[in-house]
């Protein structure tokens, strides 16, 4: 009987040691950055932001041409390209493909199911073959965040089968990383929308949630390393009849970016019913290291749609929603801690 009791105690201790604890992130280092206006105008609805060599590039959703290029340093206008169509030079609904080893602007078009590789200067000058295209595997179509690492693609799909996927293009094999137990994982459940970012050197992936104040750290094999909660009070989505997302649900992280040193979470405090018309709502950017340790918080004077970190010029660029659907682009210098 004594030996059985010892075994039970040891088993209990082992189980406790294996259980992953949730780290609470307290935002105790606030910064009010000095905001600068890029003076980029006449673009009605900027969605995504990208960088390539000396260019700062934006995707516009409401009118043609869809893609506009600016000088990366001073934001002076360089030119536009990308009309609506089915041809190699045309676009329908593009996103930026994150690819560390590319020497051109890499995009993917979810509606055309194609990858697009762009020589920006030639595309602006309308030089033939400035844009080349290739087919996109059907399994990864629809990902809002897509990273290419050698022969692998890492991405996420809203309402998908897991938190994020790892697609091996050489074997045409898809692996979904299961949702953590702390979030719901019903099939096609849009309350588990998330955004991801990747660090190739550290072989890590960070995922942050739209409707949960949770952020997760994984290795690139899909193994959970760490889970953190932003703030002491847990935020979860509210569901109607246990299925449909309620308009009273709070939005949490709506965009995520990273550098080799830090992860940047775009955080909101707006309800689902108000996100398209946030009025006087503002946003903030939480900075973490790649162990999910808290560094600081930038409090912004605008409601922000998307962010981009420019390491070359040590600044963060963001899209602010103003006057309902209209957008403006601002930036501020990154604070060195």
């Amino acid at each position: 009987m004594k030996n059985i009791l010892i075994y039970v105690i040891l088993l209990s201790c082992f189980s406790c040691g294996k259980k992953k604890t949730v780290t609470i992130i307290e935002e105790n280092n606030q910064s009010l950055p000095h905001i600068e206006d890029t003076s980029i105008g006449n673009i009605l609805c900027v969605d995504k932001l990208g960088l390539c060599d000396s260019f700062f590039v934006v995707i516009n959703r409401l009118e043609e041409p869809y893609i506009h290029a600016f000088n990366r340093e001073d934001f002076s206008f360089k030119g536009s390209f990308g009309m609506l169509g089915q041809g190699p030079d045309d676009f329908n609904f593009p996103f930026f493909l994150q690819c560390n080893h590319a020497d051109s602007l890499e995009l993917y078009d979810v509606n055309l199911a194609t990858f697009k590789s762009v020589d920006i200067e030639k595309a602006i000058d309308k030089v033939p073959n400035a844009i080349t295209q290739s087919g996109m595997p059907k399994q990864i179509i629809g990902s809002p965040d897509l990273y290419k690492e050698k022969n692998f693609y890492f991405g996420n799909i809203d309402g998908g089968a897991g938190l994020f996927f790892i697609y091996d293009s050489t074997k045409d094999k898809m692996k979904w990383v299961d949702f953590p137990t702390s979030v719901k994982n019903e099939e096609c459940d849009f309350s588990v929308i998330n955004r991801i970012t990747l660090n190739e050197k550290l072989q890590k992936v960070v995922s942050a949630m739209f409707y949960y104040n949770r952020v997760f750290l994984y290795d690139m094999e899909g193994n959970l390393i760490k889970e953190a909660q932003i703030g002491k009070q847990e935020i979860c989505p509210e569901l109607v009849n246990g299925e449909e997302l309620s308009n009273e649900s709070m939005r949490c992280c709506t965009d995520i970016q990273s550098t080799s040193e830090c992860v940047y979470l775009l955080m909101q405090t707006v309800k689902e019913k108000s996100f398209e018309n946030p009025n006087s709502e503002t946003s903030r950017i939480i900075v973490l290291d790649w162990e999910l340790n808290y560094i600081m918080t930038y409090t912004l004077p605008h409601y922000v749609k998307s962010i981009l970190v420019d390491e070359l010029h040590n600044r963060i660029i963001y899209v602010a929603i103003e006057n309902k659907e209209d957008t403006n682009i601002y930036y501020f210098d990154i604070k060195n801690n």
Side-chain angles (χ1 to χ4, degrees):
M1 181 68 182
K2 183 178 179 181
N3 290 338
I4 294 175
L5 181 61
I6 291 173
Y7 173 77
V8 171
I9 293 172
L10 288 173
L11 181 61
S12 176
C13 290
F14 178 78
S15 298
C16 291
K18 287 291 185 180
K19 184 179 181 180
K20 292 190 180 296
T21 58
V22 178
T23 300
I24 302 298
I25 294 174
E26 296 188 50
E27 297 178 64
N28 52 19
N29 183 18
Q30 306 276 341
S31 175
L32 294 171
H34 176 70
I35 306 298
E36 298 280 358
D37 192 340
T38 63
S39 298
I40 294 175
N42 300 321
I43 305 178
L44 293 179
C45 187
V46 174
D47 185 15
K48 297 296 183 179
L49 309 174
L51 298 168
C52 182
D53 296 328
S54 62
F55 293 98
F56 167 61
V57 188
V58 308
I59 295 175
N60 171 44
R61 294 294 185 206
L62 286 186
E63 61 181 1
E64 303 173 74
Y66 288 125
I67 301 171
H68 306 268
F70 304 85
N71 181 281
R72 182 171 176 172
E73 182 176 4
D74 63 12
F75 301 105
S76 57
F77 180 66
K78 292 298 183 181
S80 302
F81 58 92
M83 304 302 286
L84 178 64
Q86 305 291 320
D89 295 342
D90 300 324
F91 292 86
N92 198 308
F93 205 83
F95 290 86
F96 293 114
L97 174 66
Q98 306 300 322
C99 184
N100 290 327
H101 308 294
D103 55 6
S104 58
L105 181 67
E106 302 297 319
L107 302 104
Y108 61 102
D109 197 305
V110 297
N111 285 356
L112 299 179
T114 57
F115 292 113
K116 304 269 189 175
S117 184
V118 184
D119 184 316
I120 299 177
E121 290 185 350
K122 291 182 179 180
I124 291 173
D125 293 336
K126 313 302 180 193
V127 176
N129 301 319
I131 302 175
T132 59
Q133 69 175 11
S134 59
M136 186 176 183
K138 63 180 181 180
Q139 295 96 319
I140 65 177
I141 296 171
S143 176
D145 299 327
L146 191 60
Y147 291 78
K148 184 179 181 182
E149 155 64 359
K150 297 179 181 177
N151 296 321
F152 293 88
Y153 291 90
F154 293 76
N156 55 315
I157 296 176
D158 297 345
L163 196 67
F164 63 92
F165 62 77
I166 305 169
Y167 174 73
D168 185 340
S169 61
T170 58
K171 299 179 180 179
D172 190 26
K173 185 177 180 180
M174 172 80 89
K175 172 187 175 181
W176 278 100
V177 175
D178 290 338
F179 291 106
T181 56
S182 56
V183 305
K184 297 179 176 65
N185 61 343
E186 299 294 332
E187 186 177 357
C188 297
D189 183 357
F190 281 85
S191 70
V192 291
I193 293 175
N194 70 308
R195 293 294 177 260
I196 67 168
T197 190
L198 182 148
N199 188 312
E200 178 185 6
K201 182 178 180 180
L202 297 178
Q203 294 286 288
K204 291 180 178 180
V205 178
V206 170
S207 170
M209 309 299 295
F210 254 54
Y211 302 107
Y212 295 82
N213 56 336
R214 296 287 177 116
V215 56
F216 304 97
L217 177 66
Y218 288 83
D219 64 24
M220 289 178 65
E221 299 296 320
N223 300 306
L224 180 62
I225 300 172
K226 186 176 181 180
E227 177 177 349
Q229 177 177 298
I230 301 169
K232 294 181 179 180
Q233 184 175 355
E234 184 179 9
I235 299 175
C236 297
E238 297 184 19
L239 300 180
V240 179
N241 298 323
E243 297 180 356
E244 185 179 348
L245 184 70
S246 167
N247 283 330
E248 296 300 313
S249 295
M250 296 295 300
R251 286 201 163 201
C252 296
C253 181
T254 56
D255 196 9
I256 182 170
Q257 297 288 314
S258 66
T259 64
S260 58
E261 302 294 331
C262 296
V263 177
Y264 298 81
L265 308 179
L266 174 60
M267 303 298 297
Q268 314 292 359
T269 55
V270 64
K271 293 183 178 180
E272 180 69 8
K273 64 183 179 182
S274 303
F275 83 94
E276 289 186 342
N277 187 19
N279 296 319
S280 60
E281 292 289 343
T282 58
S283 305
R284 67 194 194 280
I285 298 173
I286 296 177
V287 187
L288 309 174
D289 66 17
W290 277 96
E291 297 295 331
L292 300 189
N293 297 312
Y294 175 74
I295 298 175
M296 66 177 300
T297 300
Y298 292 108
T299 302
L300 306 177
H302 303 102
Y303 180 77
V304 179
K305 184 176 184 180
S306 58
I307 60 176
L308 179 69
V309 183
D310 185 350
E311 287 188 272
L312 179 62
H313 295 102
N314 197 43
R315 60 195 181 195
I316 294 176
I317 310 168
Y318 67 84
V319 179
I321 297 179
E322 298 179 331
N323 301 321
K324 294 186 177 180
E325 290 185 346
D326 290 350
T327 57
N328 285 321
I329 304 176
Y330 299 91
Y331 72 96
F332 62 89
D333 292 334
I334 296 174
K335 183 177 179 181
N336 295 317
N337 293 280

